Amino acid sequence: MTHDDCYSPTSQNYERSQSLALSLVERCRVLIDELDVFRDLLEKTQRNSQLVEIRSLRSNVVSELRTLDKVFEQIRALADAAVDGEEEEVEPRLMHALRSSNLPFYETVWDIARRTCTGLVAFGKRFYWDGEGVAGDTGKKRPNKDKRKSVFVDIVADDGQEWVKVSTISETRLLFEMAKKGWEADSDAESGEERTILRNFDDDGGSEDDDDDEIELVKLASDMRKAASCTRVRYRHPRLRLVIPKIEEGEKREIDDLLKVLRSYNITVECGEGAPSSGASATSATAEGRLRHLLPTPFKSFTSTLNVDCTLLLALVSDLSHLKNIEPSPTYHKAIIRQLEFERERPLLTTELWPAMEGHALVCTEEAAKRMREIVNTIGTDTEKRRTEILFGDSPFESWDTKSVIQGFQGLSAYEIPPQLKMPVKTVEAKSLIDSAIEQGKLPPVSRKVAEILSDINHSVFFYGWVTGITTISSNRTVVKQIETIVEQHRNGDEDLEGPQIWVCDTARSLIGKEKGRKS
């Protein structure tokens, strides 16, 4: 091959296509590395790292990398053949695969998440509007769901209270679609460019209802609003945000009119330079410290005082929570064995309870304290009994200040007790306060329905939090879910109706019981 052959149009085509393919492959790997950094951060900081669903985005990028790797190898094989005198044009399908790569979209989703979101819950989540959504509904697929009555959300953030949808549609393609579907405005779209419909389905092919007269962005906004209206997180519908980086506001009247329509669905719409640009995630590696804002933030709405349920009072004094290397015994209940396994993986106090309680005044109702003491006095070990006395400031610890209480606890624990903990726990008289609030009609009518399903202790705990407006912390997930469901079932059109504000601890700890001969 002569020197001139090296710079033939076909050779230059090979170079350009190989360069593009290599660039996309490298960007894929950078994005995967960043997602892995965040995944590792979740593993280090969360009791259950699977609560944040990043697998969908990562698997999409990994799939894209495989495709791009194959395309790159095919182009390189053609280039090698050309060097051997068998020069061929790069196949159009290979160039199309490179130019239509989904990578820029994935980069944009990740960039928007890490630059504008907090409290990440999921990438790529489907939500339905079949009328069955309840408080805390995360859109998990259930049997016989009609995918045509759903919307695919790119980012679920703010601990579930914000949904973000991303569209990388260009101005030209949007104007073309508007003209084709009869939007009543002049269009200067380049009709020769291939039209691309905004994707509103995930990779398993669940497309939405076809409506030839409806613009995809408008349908998307409508679908998001329908699904959000059937979903509540902590008694509130999620906020909606649509990010369209390639569309500029204020330049085309017809596009501005369309944006007004989108916002009429009570959706925040971000355009152009105000939205993160695609490809930014590939420019540099992101350290863990720069991704911490994406971690779940379950404590941000806590009140200054926390109402502690009986289940967590027990966890605060249990040997299971405070001692390391407790050997399982055949005499232990299977629940105790399971809790020992959980504790070895991630200690409850240091990973969940201490972070939740730090800096907050702690109270509990008389009923919760009485029941907890009964259990401790019946089956508690000597150390569990002593922790209980310190926790409540019993004699001879009634004169101890917070610092002394923490020091006393430290002497009975293998874990470092945070100095920010505000102990002892104060016991409050709840019954008269609750009765008075009910008599004065300070609670909504649905409270009567809630009261019907609660035991005396649970009524005391959860209604005290409801009446006072303070956050209750509990590990009684079953009862909390029942309360939320009843509130939703009896909302009767009251969009502002709320039940008690409750945070559910992921797991509980029982007292280990008076088992002798264990290692501690």
Short mmCIF file of all heavy atoms in Angstrom, two decimals, residues 40-64:
data_model
loop_
_atom_site.label_atom_id
_atom_site.label_comp_id
_atom_site.label_asym_id
_atom_site.label_seq_id
_atom_site.Cartn_x
_atom_site.Cartn_y
_atom_site.Cartn_z
N ASP A 40 -20.15 0.93 45.89
CA ASP A 40 -19.27 0.62 47.03
C ASP A 40 -19.60 1.51 48.22
O ASP A 40 -19.55 1.06 49.38
CB ASP A 40 -17.81 0.80 46.63
CG ASP A 40 -17.35 -0.23 45.61
OD1 ASP A 40 -18.05 -1.26 45.46
OD2 ASP A 40 -16.31 -0.01 44.96
N LEU A 41 -19.92 2.77 47.95
CA LEU A 41 -20.29 3.68 49.02
C LEU A 41 -21.56 3.22 49.73
O LEU A 41 -21.68 3.29 50.96
CB LEU A 41 -20.48 5.09 48.46
CG LEU A 41 -20.81 6.20 49.46
CD1 LEU A 41 -19.70 6.35 50.49
CD2 LEU A 41 -21.05 7.53 48.73
N LEU A 42 -22.52 2.72 48.96
CA LEU A 42 -23.74 2.17 49.55
C LEU A 42 -23.43 0.97 50.44
O LEU A 42 -23.98 0.83 51.54
CB LEU A 42 -24.72 1.76 48.44
CG LEU A 42 -25.39 2.88 47.66
CD1 LEU A 42 -26.14 2.31 46.46
CD2 LEU A 42 -26.35 3.65 48.55
N GLU A 43 -22.54 0.10 49.95
CA GLU A 43 -22.17 -1.08 50.72
C GLU A 43 -21.54 -0.69 52.06
O GLU A 43 -21.76 -1.34 53.08
CB GLU A 43 -21.19 -1.95 49.91
CG GLU A 43 -21.80 -2.62 48.69
CD GLU A 43 -22.69 -3.80 49.07
OE1 GLU A 43 -22.67 -4.22 50.24
OE2 GLU A 43 -23.41 -4.30 48.18
N LYS A 44 -20.77 0.37 52.06
CA LYS A 44 -20.07 0.79 53.26
C LYS A 44 -20.98 1.49 54.26
O LYS A 44 -20.72 1.44 55.47
CB LYS A 44 -18.91 1.74 52.90
CG LYS A 44 -17.79 1.10 52.12
CD LYS A 44 -16.76 2.15 51.74
CE LYS A 44 -15.64 1.55 50.90
NZ LYS A 44 -14.67 2.60 50.47
N THR A 45 -22.01 2.15 53.77
CA THR A 45 -22.77 3.05 54.65
C THR A 45 -24.19 2.59 54.96
O THR A 45 -24.78 3.08 55.92
CB THR A 45 -22.86 4.45 54.02
OG1 THR A 45 -23.53 4.36 52.75
CG2 THR A 45 -21.47 5.06 53.82
N GLN A 46 -24.75 1.68 54.16
CA GLN A 46 -26.16 1.34 54.33
C GLN A 46 -26.33 -0.06 54.91
O GLN A 46 -25.61 -0.99 54.54
CB GLN A 46 -26.90 1.43 52.99
CG GLN A 46 -26.76 2.77 52.30
CD GLN A 46 -27.30 3.91 53.15
OE1 GLN A 46 -28.45 3.91 53.56
NE2 GLN A 46 -26.44 4.90 53.42
N ARG A 47 -27.29 -0.18 55.81
CA ARG A 47 -27.60 -1.51 56.35
C ARG A 47 -28.02 -2.44 55.23
O ARG A 47 -27.64 -3.60 55.19
CB ARG A 47 -28.71 -1.40 57.39
CG ARG A 47 -29.29 -2.74 57.82
CD ARG A 47 -30.15 -2.60 59.03
NE ARG A 47 -29.33 -2.25 60.18
CZ ARG A 47 -28.64 -3.13 60.89
NH1 ARG A 47 -28.67 -4.41 60.59
NH2 ARG A 47 -27.91 -2.75 61.92
N ASN A 48 -28.84 -1.95 54.31
CA ASN A 48 -29.26 -2.73 53.15
C ASN A 48 -29.00 -1.91 51.90
O ASN A 48 -29.80 -1.04 51.53
CB ASN A 48 -30.74 -3.11 53.25
CG ASN A 48 -31.22 -3.95 52.07
OD1 ASN A 48 -30.44 -4.32 51.20
ND2 ASN A 48 -32.50 -4.23 52.04
N SER A 49 -27.88 -2.16 51.25
CA SER A 49 -27.50 -1.36 50.08
C SER A 49 -28.45 -1.55 48.91
O SER A 49 -28.51 -0.71 48.01
CB SER A 49 -26.07 -1.72 49.65
OG SER A 49 -26.00 -3.09 49.24
N GLN A 50 -29.23 -2.65 48.93
CA GLN A 50 -30.16 -2.91 47.83
C GLN A 50 -31.36 -1.98 47.86
O GLN A 50 -32.15 -1.94 46.90
CB GLN A 50 -30.65 -4.37 47.89
CG GLN A 50 -29.53 -5.40 47.77
CD GLN A 50 -28.74 -5.25 46.49
OE1 GLN A 50 -29.30 -5.10 45.42
NE2 GLN A 50 -27.42 -5.29 46.60
N LEU A 51 -31.53 -1.23 48.94
CA LEU A 51 -32.64 -0.29 49.01
C LEU A 51 -32.49 0.83 47.98
O LEU A 51 -33.47 1.48 47.61
CB LEU A 51 -32.75 0.31 50.41
CG LEU A 51 -33.19 -0.66 51.53
CD1 LEU A 51 -33.18 0.04 52.88
CD2 LEU A 51 -34.56 -1.24 51.23
N VAL A 52 -31.27 1.07 47.52
CA VAL A 52 -31.03 2.03 46.45
C VAL A 52 -30.77 1.23 45.17
O VAL A 52 -29.78 0.51 45.08
CB VAL A 52 -29.83 2.95 46.76
CG1 VAL A 52 -29.62 3.96 45.64
CG2 VAL A 52 -30.05 3.67 48.09
N GLU A 53 -31.65 1.37 44.22
CA GLU A 53 -31.61 0.53 43.03
C GLU A 53 -30.83 1.21 41.90
O GLU A 53 -31.37 2.05 41.19
CB GLU A 53 -33.03 0.19 42.57
CG GLU A 53 -33.86 -0.53 43.63
CD GLU A 53 -35.29 -0.76 43.20
OE1 GLU A 53 -35.53 -0.92 41.98
OE2 GLU A 53 -36.17 -0.77 44.07
N ILE A 54 -29.56 0.85 41.78
CA ILE A 54 -28.74 1.40 40.70
C ILE A 54 -28.45 0.34 39.64
O ILE A 54 -27.84 0.62 38.62
CB ILE A 54 -27.42 1.97 41.23
CG1 ILE A 54 -26.54 0.85 41.82
CG2 ILE A 54 -27.67 3.06 42.25
CD1 ILE A 54 -25.15 1.31 42.18
N ARG A 55 -28.91 -0.88 39.89
CA ARG A 55 -28.58 -1.99 38.99
C ARG A 55 -29.11 -1.77 37.58
O ARG A 55 -28.47 -2.12 36.59
CB ARG A 55 -29.14 -3.29 39.56
CG ARG A 55 -28.78 -4.53 38.75
CD ARG A 55 -29.21 -5.78 39.47
NE ARG A 55 -30.63 -5.74 39.82
CZ ARG A 55 -31.24 -6.68 40.53
NH1 ARG A 55 -30.55 -7.70 41.00
NH2 ARG A 55 -32.52 -6.58 40.80
N SER A 56 -30.30 -1.18 37.47
CA SER A 56 -30.91 -0.97 36.16
C SER A 56 -30.02 -0.12 35.26
O SER A 56 -29.73 -0.48 34.12
CB SER A 56 -32.28 -0.31 36.31
OG SER A 56 -32.81 0.04 35.05
N LEU A 57 -29.57 1.03 35.78
CA LEU A 57 -28.71 1.91 34.98
C LEU A 57 -27.39 1.23 34.68
O LEU A 57 -26.91 1.27 33.53
CB LEU A 57 -28.49 3.23 35.72
CG LEU A 57 -27.58 4.24 35.01
CD1 LEU A 57 -28.15 4.62 33.64
CD2 LEU A 57 -27.38 5.48 35.87
N ARG A 58 -26.79 0.61 35.66
CA ARG A 58 -25.49 -0.02 35.44
C ARG A 58 -25.58 -1.14 34.41
O ARG A 58 -24.71 -1.25 33.52
CB ARG A 58 -24.92 -0.57 36.75
CG ARG A 58 -23.49 -1.07 36.61
CD ARG A 58 -22.97 -1.70 37.89
NE ARG A 58 -21.56 -2.04 37.78
CZ ARG A 58 -21.10 -3.11 37.17
NH1 ARG A 58 -21.93 -3.97 36.60
NH2 ARG A 58 -19.79 -3.34 37.11
N SER A 59 -26.61 -1.97 34.48
CA SER A 59 -26.74 -3.07 33.53
C SER A 59 -26.96 -2.55 32.12
O SER A 59 -26.48 -3.13 31.14
CB SER A 59 -27.88 -4.01 33.94
OG SER A 59 -29.12 -3.34 33.91
N ASN A 60 -27.68 -1.42 31.99
CA ASN A 60 -27.86 -0.81 30.67
C ASN A 60 -26.53 -0.34 30.10
O ASN A 60 -26.26 -0.51 28.90
CB ASN A 60 -28.84 0.36 30.76
CG ASN A 60 -30.28 -0.08 30.89
OD1 ASN A 60 -30.62 -1.21 30.55
ND2 ASN A 60 -31.13 0.80 31.39
N VAL A 61 -25.71 0.26 30.94
CA VAL A 61 -24.41 0.76 30.46
C VAL A 61 -23.49 -0.41 30.12
O VAL A 61 -22.77 -0.37 29.11
CB VAL A 61 -23.76 1.67 31.52
CG1 VAL A 61 -22.41 2.19 31.01
CG2 VAL A 61 -24.68 2.84 31.85
N VAL A 62 -23.52 -1.47 30.93
CA VAL A 62 -22.71 -2.65 30.64
C VAL A 62 -23.13 -3.27 29.31
O VAL A 62 -22.29 -3.67 28.49
CB VAL A 62 -22.83 -3.69 31.78
CG1 VAL A 62 -22.21 -5.02 31.37
CG2 VAL A 62 -22.16 -3.16 33.04
N SER A 63 -24.43 -3.34 29.08
CA SER A 63 -24.94 -3.87 27.80
C SER A 63 -24.49 -3.01 26.63
O SER A 63 -24.09 -3.52 25.57
CB SER A 63 -26.46 -3.95 27.85
OG SER A 63 -26.99 -4.38 26.62
N GLU A 64 -24.52 -1.70 26.83
CA GLU A 64 -24.07 -0.78 25.79
C GLU A 64 -22.58 -0.97 25.52
O GLU A 64 -22.13 -0.92 24.35
CB GLU A 64 -24.35 0.66 26.21
CG GLU A 64 -24.19 1.68 25.11
CD GLU A 64 -25.26 1.59 24.04
OE1 GLU A 64 -26.32 0.98 24.29
OE2 GLU A 64 -25.02 2.13 22.93
#
